[in-house]
Amino acid sequence: MIAGVGLTGTGTGGAFIAQGAVALGGGRILWAGPEADLPEDYAGYARIAGEGRLLTPAFIDCHTHIVHGGHRALEFGMRLEGASYEEVARAGGGIVSTVKATRGADVDSLVAQALPRLDALLAEGVSCVEVKSGYGLDLETELRMLRAARALAAARPVRIRTTFLGAHAVPVEYQGRADAYIDTVCIPALRAAHAEGLVDAVDGFCEGIAFDTSQIARVFDAARELGLPVKLHAEQLSHIGGTALAARYGALSVDHVEYATDADAALLAASGTVAVLLPGAFYAIRETQMPPVAAFRAHGVPMALATDCNPGSSPLTSLLLAMNMGCTLFRLTPDEALRGVTTHAARALGLTDTGLIASGMRADLALWSVETPAELAYRFGFNPLHARIFGGPDQ
């Protein structure tokens, strides 16, 4: 049992409890609430003194690309010299440049390169990380990426959710033949990955420099046939209808959404889809079009936050910094930012057993040396984590 802590992210509407306690057993939360109301049943449990620290659900990074080969530091300089994200991509950089490095790496190498990025996330109280494929763009490399992602959960105490992102970009060998790539490479690779038990969800990049709505729809149809949930990169650089498409398929999430509209927000609310905001990419490529946060609030669309950790447009491995960016760049409240990396991030991954401090939930928690929840988003470049709790401790 952890006692003498401030509790936030609880089953009581997320209200902050100044002097709280949590009873844990069997890897689950057995009870949570004001310490004064602790049932006698738990009086004999081993007690961990929280000493006034803050206890939250462990963080969840619901959008990452941490498995990949190489880096793209040179593109950082190109962007500083004025090249846009699209110009970098059309010059042969961007996603396609990472494909070459990733195709040349075996599973062990991909795991070794991903572990430092994963460790940085775990050091900030993260218990669950979504990992996408999408830098192979051929069947064998897509499978290797997903095998590497699964292997991360064996290498570290972390929960990994894998997402097939074969529709991430058109590889060089299929330039000008995006439809052929979708039908002869992407969908067959999805089916092969699913047959091997490597896929938890299916994603795509619906954008002018990637795939249009009709092409993504074919991928989503294949996912539906396999019984897999979908999500989508959409409306990051322009508005071509990806958000409406995702809502029509009941997507778990639509991510980036800078160019989403009020009508899109209404569709997301109706479909129960989470809007995942990615301020790291917004910052790194110096975007100016902000996501329609006010519209999401007005329509009741849940908003998650994630790092979008990737080698090009968001080499970010800090959810704490993503929280601060969400507040300073997108004007989220600190409470919205915290829910964005806990409760709503869990929902963006289709998880119902984490992201909340409540009876029956997984005992995945983070104990912070702060007094109030707002302090987690207030500072940047500072990590106040005291302890990360993953599935315990038991009684």
Side-chain angles (χ1 to χ4, degrees):
M1 180 178 64
I2 304 173
V5 291
L7 293 181
T8 192
T10 69
T12 57
F16 177 68
I17 299 173
Q19 188 71 20
V22 176
L24 309 174
R28 297 281 167 175
I29 297 171
L30 304 178
W31 181 89
E35 188 173 2
D37 297 341
L38 182 70
E40 291 185 4
D41 294 350
Y42 304 115
Y45 276 44
R47 180 179 291 250
I48 300 172
E51 300 178 339
R53 296 184 178 91
L54 176 71
L55 190 71
T56 71
F59 285 0
I60 298 164
D61 197 346
C62 64
H63 182 131
T64 86
H65 306 254
I66 63 171
V67 170
H68 60 80
H71 64 83
R72 284 161 34 199
L74 291 178
E75 293 178 19
F76 179 61
M78 289 178 63
R79 290 198 301 271
L80 290 176
E81 293 173 2
S84 70
Y85 184 84
E86 293 184 68
E87 287 169 340
V88 168
R90 296 191 189 283
I95 292 168
V96 175
S97 68
T98 299
V99 169
K100 182 178 180 180
T102 305
R103 286 180 177 179
D106 61 17
V107 170
D108 289 344
S109 175
L110 291 172
V111 170
Q113 292 180 71
L115 282 175
R117 298 185 276 270
L118 177 61
D119 287 341
L121 294 172
L122 301 189
E124 291 190 350
V126 172
S127 68
C128 180
V129 179
E130 186 255 18
V131 182
K132 302 179 191 294
S133 69
Y135 292 126
L137 308 184
D138 61 25
L139 189 146
E140 287 303 322
T141 314
E142 290 293 304
L143 294 179
R144 283 205 306 276
M145 291 187 69
L146 292 168
R147 290 174 192 140
R150 289 281 197 235
L152 293 174
R156 295 290 187 271
V158 65
R159 193 176 188 183
I160 296 293
R161 300 293 289 181
T162 56
T163 298
F164 176 83
L165 182 56
H168 196 193
V170 181
V172 172
E173 61 270 26
Y174 277 87
Q175 285 299 312
R177 297 186 297 134
D179 286 298
Y181 169 75
I182 291 291
D183 295 332
T184 64
V185 177
C186 180
I187 292 175
L190 168 58
R191 293 198 169 107
H194 177 261
E196 199 173 316
L198 296 173
V199 186
D200 296 319
V202 177
D203 198 351
F205 188 19
C206 189
E207 193 57 72
I209 60 172
F211 300 98
D212 64 28
T213 54
S214 66
Q215 291 157 349
I216 294 295
R218 297 210 298 279
V219 178
F220 282 4
D221 286 339
R224 180 177 282 175
E225 290 171 11
L226 298 171
L228 293 169
V230 299
K231 53 182 61 184
L232 190 62
H233 292 60
E235 267 71 81
Q236 179 187 9
L237 306 172
S238 62
H239 189 281
I240 66 169
T243 299
L245 173 75
R248 191 162 72 245
Y249 279 83
L252 291 173
S253 72
V254 180
D255 302 28
H256 288 291
V257 293
E258 280 90 337
Y259 284 82
T261 64
D262 184 81
D264 290 328
L267 292 172
L268 294 182
S271 64
T273 300
V274 177
V276 179
L277 309 183
L278 303 171
F282 180 91
Y283 166 83
I285 63 177
R286 298 188 295 173
E287 287 297 308
T288 57
Q289 176 74 29
M290 291 175 55
V293 168
F296 293 150
R297 287 189 187 120
H299 290 282
V301 177
M303 293 179 285
L305 279 169
T307 63
D308 190 16
C309 177
N310 72 70
S313 63
S314 186
L316 173 64
T317 53
S318 171
L319 263 184
L320 287 170
L321 182 53
M323 290 172 68
N324 178 270
M325 287 179 168
C327 294
T328 57
L329 298 177
F330 296 158
R331 299 297 186 263
L332 297 182
T333 68
D335 180 64
E336 286 173 330
L338 182 57
R339 282 184 281 129
V341 298
T342 55
T343 307
H344 293 162
R347 182 170 172 178
L349 297 180
L351 300 175
T352 59
D353 61 352
T354 190
L356 192 68
I357 298 178
S359 177
M361 305 295 280
R362 284 174 57 101
D364 295 341
L365 303 163
L367 187 61
W368 306 92
S369 295
V370 301
E371 296 178 355
T372 64
E375 291 179 67
L376 297 176
Y378 155 68
R379 292 187 173 90
F380 48 96
F382 178 74
N383 182 3
L385 184 71
H386 176 74
R388 173 183 175 272
I389 301 164
F390 183 70
D394 211 331
Q395 67 181 61

